[in-house]
Amino acid sequence: MALWRAYQRALAAHPWKVQVLTAGSLMGVGDIISQQLVERRGLQEHQRSRTLTMVLLGCGFVGPVVGGWYKVLDRFIPGTTKVDALKKTLLDQGGFAPCFLGCFLPLVGALNGLSAEDNWAKLQRDYPDALITNYYLWPAVQLANFYLVPLHYREDPASTTLVSIPPELRT
């Protein structure tokens, strides 16, 4: 409980920094879970550089972009009723998610050293599956997020993104 109260105090004092660091931490933990529980790499085969890349993506891209999007969305559709949450989810999943994935996947490719040509080919090949996989999980999660979670606590369900993108599409 003390840790939660400390988190709340830090969030109140430095909301943007804490949300960005939280996104980076969640993406790092998500990658560790993916490598250890899904891919079953073991500690010897764990790709530390991949985990670090995910942390940096969370802090430098996902946290700021998603945090900004949530603020814009709450200004555009103020309120927390069920109808408001449904509207936000429709905009988030119909507009933001496709654009976000279209930026996230090439960014991961570039950070993994893909050439522009290879990155474009990978995006064309992987984007449809990543978006369809996104739609299996995130509309329900986002509906609950927009209905139940106050704006200052919302984080990117990517840590969210990592769960919905199969490991073979991330590298």
Side-chain angles (χ1 to χ4, degrees):
M1 232 21 195
L3 187 59
W4 178 247
R5 284 192 295 274
Y7 178 79
Q8 288 177 313
R9 283 192 303 274
L11 188 60
H14 307 284
W16 191 251
K17 290 177 190 175
V18 170
Q19 285 185 342
V20 165
L21 290 173
T22 300
S25 299
L26 289 173
M27 287 190 64
V29 169
D31 186 65
I32 291 168
I33 290 169
S34 176
Q35 288 193 53
Q36 296 306 312
L37 299 180
V38 178
E39 300 168 41
R40 300 190 184 279
R41 289 182 176 271
L43 295 177
Q44 296 297 328
E45 298 297 319
H46 186 89
Q47 295 176 342
R48 288 168 184 79
S49 63
R50 185 178 112 180
T51 300
L52 180 60
T53 298
M54 289 298 138
V55 169
L56 294 174
L57 274 169
C59 291
F61 177 73
V62 175
V65 171
V66 173
W69 166 244
Y70 285 162
K71 288 178 183 180
V72 167
L73 194 56
D74 257 37
R75 284 191 193 122
F76 188 61
I77 304 171
T80 57
T81 67
K82 290 176 186 174
V83 171
D84 294 331
L86 183 59
K87 289 178 185 177
K88 289 176 186 178
T89 300
L90 289 171
L91 274 176
D92 181 71
Q93 292 300 299
F96 181 76
C99 295
F100 179 83
L101 275 175
C103 294
F104 180 82
L105 292 174
L107 185 55
V108 170
L111 290 173
N112 285 326
L114 292 181
S115 68
E117 184 178 291
D118 290 342
N119 209 354
W120 177 245
K122 185 167 178 38
L123 178 65
Q124 289 179 307
R125 183 187 72 231
D126 294 347
Y127 179 83
D129 288 339
L131 188 60
I132 289 167
T133 303
N134 169 82
Y135 288 140
Y136 285 127
L137 176 65
W138 292 116
V141 171
Q142 288 295 68
L143 186 60
N145 189 27
F146 294 133
Y147 184 62
L148 300 172
V149 180
L151 176 62
H152 64 282
Y153 286 122
R154 283 188 213 139
E155 247 336 299
D156 172 43
S159 24
T160 88
T161 305
L162 282 180
V163 175
S164 63
I165 299 175
E168 65 275 7
L169 300 182
R170 285 189 235 142
T171 56

